[in-house]
Amino acid sequence: MVATIAETDESAESEGVIDSHKRREILSRRPSYRKILNELSSDVPGVPKIEEERSEEEGTPPNIATMAVPTSIYQTSTGQYIAVAQGGTIQISNPGSDGVQGLQALTMTNSGAPPPGATIVQYAAQSADGTQQFFVPGSQVVVQAATGDMPAYQIRAPTAALPQGVVMAASPGSLHSPQQLAEEATRKRELRLMKNREAAKECRRRKKEYVKCLESRVAVLEVQNKKLIEELETLKDICSPKTD
DNA sequence: CATGTCCTGCGTCAGACACT
DNA sequence: AGTGTCTGACGCAGGACATG
């Protein structure tokens, strides 16, 4: 996890807004984790790409989308294969040989099941009635209608056949009174917040995945480095045997 | 047991960026 | 230009742990 240092001093409270503005001006925006990881994958074959968001919405069945540690296979300069398994185990194998001497497998310390109680947002594919569904905490389903200029959102119980709860759709032309306008503004704000909420969750998930991939690369490169050092020592011994 | 500290995750805001 | 998406930053809440 990347630690951030936050200025929480009371005396700096008044300057906080200015500071954050300056910081944001100074700091240029980094490319997204998806981009970074995909660039890494183009550099190093075997580094998995982060899937495009579309795949979740279009093709996957409506079950829980679990975050898997990517399984990757690397080939070293010496022709060895290094596989990073899902459990975080790294295996080294020589093609065409029985195995390697020394370290063959190691388990990453950050591997393991996700912590219990982690919030899981479930995305569903398009359902039979042409709507898109996604699940929110509280055992409710928000259904987005597929037709119409204005998106319609309904809160349903997951197993209910008929829509229940509030229907939040409205036609823009039908809004006249200030109260209706205010309600529409509130509705739009709620919708925006809801979307941003989900986006933040997804962003954090991607960030975690990105960090895990980097850690995997570090582990692999450390193993590779160790092998190369051992190789070098062996070659040194061969080339310059001791004469005692 | 009460308190303090640290860590983690969440929601929100703001701004950069991508897309139409 | 307008709109949607992504992500850093911020503040808050809750859990784990150490200390007195």
Side-chain angles (χ1 to χ4, degrees), chain A residues 8 21 28 50 53 61 63 68 74 89 91-92 102 110 116 127-128 135 140 147 157 159 170 173 194 229 231:
Chain A
T8 53
H21 257 287
S28 60
I50 296 181
E53 197 122 327
N63 51 10
Y74 305 84
T89 303
Q91 286 188 314
I92 308 167
N110 64 339
S127 59
F135 298 83
Q140 289 180 313
T147 58
T159 55
M194 188 175 70
I229 289 172
E231 213 175 300

Side-chain angles (χ1 to χ4, degrees), chain A residues 40-104:
Chain A
L40 282 177
S41 70
S42 64
D43 290 344
V44 181
V47 174
K49 292 188 176 188
I50 296 181
E51 291 178 5
E52 294 292 330
E53 197 122 327
R54 213 181 320 116
S55 63
E56 284 183 339
E57 296 171 356
E58 285 181 353
T60 50
N63 51 10
I64 297 172
T66 55
M67 199 194 109
V69 175
T71 303
S72 312
I73 299 176
Y74 305 84
Q75 186 171 20
T76 70
S77 59
T78 56
Q80 294 170 328
Y81 290 103
I82 301 174
V84 182
Q86 283 199 340
T89 303
I90 296 174
Q91 286 188 314
I92 308 167
S93 63
N94 275 338
S97 71
D98 293 334
V100 292
Q101 303 142 347
L103 191 61
Q104 287 192 340

Side-chain angles (χ1 to χ4, degrees), chain A residues 4-220:
Chain A
T4 56
I5 302 170
E7 289 277 345
T8 53
D9 194 0
E10 287 97 344
S11 61
E13 206 167 73
S14 59
E15 299 169 356
V17 178
I18 303 170
D19 283 348
S20 65
H21 257 287
K22 279 184 180 175
R23 250 201 316 270
R24 281 168 182 165
E25 282 174 5
I26 291 168
L27 293 173
S28 60
R29 180 188 164 90
R30 292 176 60 206
S32 72
Y33 299 118
R34 187 159 30 201
K35 273 189 179 175
I36 295 171
L37 204 66
N38 289 345
E39 279 175 14
L40 282 177
S41 70
S42 64
D43 290 344
V44 181
V47 174
K49 292 188 176 188
I50 296 181
E51 291 178 5
E52 294 292 330
E53 197 122 327
R54 213 181 320 116
S55 63
E56 284 183 339
E57 296 171 356
E58 285 181 353
T60 50
N63 51 10
I64 297 172
T66 55
M67 199 194 109
V69 175
T71 303
S72 312
I73 299 176
Y74 305 84
Q75 186 171 20
T76 70
S77 59
T78 56
Q80 294 170 328
Y81 290 103
I82 301 174
V84 182
Q86 283 199 340
T89 303
I90 296 174
Q91 286 188 314
I92 308 167
S93 63
N94 275 338
S97 71
D98 293 334
V100 292
Q101 303 142 347
L103 191 61
Q104 287 192 340
L106 63 97
T107 302
M108 290 173 60
T109 54
N110 64 339
S111 66
T119 305
I120 297 173
V121 181
Q122 303 176 34
Y123 290 92
Q126 221 165 22
S127 59
D129 58 350
T131 61
Q132 286 201 338
Q133 298 181 352
F134 52 94
F135 298 83
V136 297
S139 303
Q140 289 180 313
V141 186
V142 177
V143 182
Q144 180 180 13
T147 58
D149 294 332
M150 288 287 292
Y153 291 87
Q154 298 172 340
I155 300 174
R156 297 181 184 175
T159 55
L162 292 174
Q164 294 181 357
V166 183
V167 177
M168 294 184 288
S171 162
S174 66
L175 295 175
H176 294 302
S177 70
Q179 188 184 355
Q180 282 175 318
L181 287 172
E183 283 175 4
E184 172 67 6
T186 304
R187 189 191 67 82
K188 280 184 177 176
R189 176 185 156 78
E190 292 296 324
L191 186 59
R192 181 172 51 80
L193 290 181
M194 188 175 70
K195 278 188 176 180
N196 190 243
R197 204 154 44 226
E198 299 305 320
K201 283 178 187 172
E202 186 63 18
C203 181
R204 285 171 180 135
R205 188 194 66 78
R206 273 197 299 270
K207 187 173 183 177
K208 272 187 166 182
E209 192 173 347
Y210 170 66
V211 170
K212 275 194 176 183
C213 284
L214 288 183
E215 288 171 345
S216 297
R217 281 193 79 195
V218 168
V220 167

Side-chain angles (χ1 to χ4, degrees), chain A residues 1 24 99 135 161 165 233 239:
Chain A
M1 172 119 190
R24 281 168 182 165
F135 298 83
E233 293 299 325
C239 293

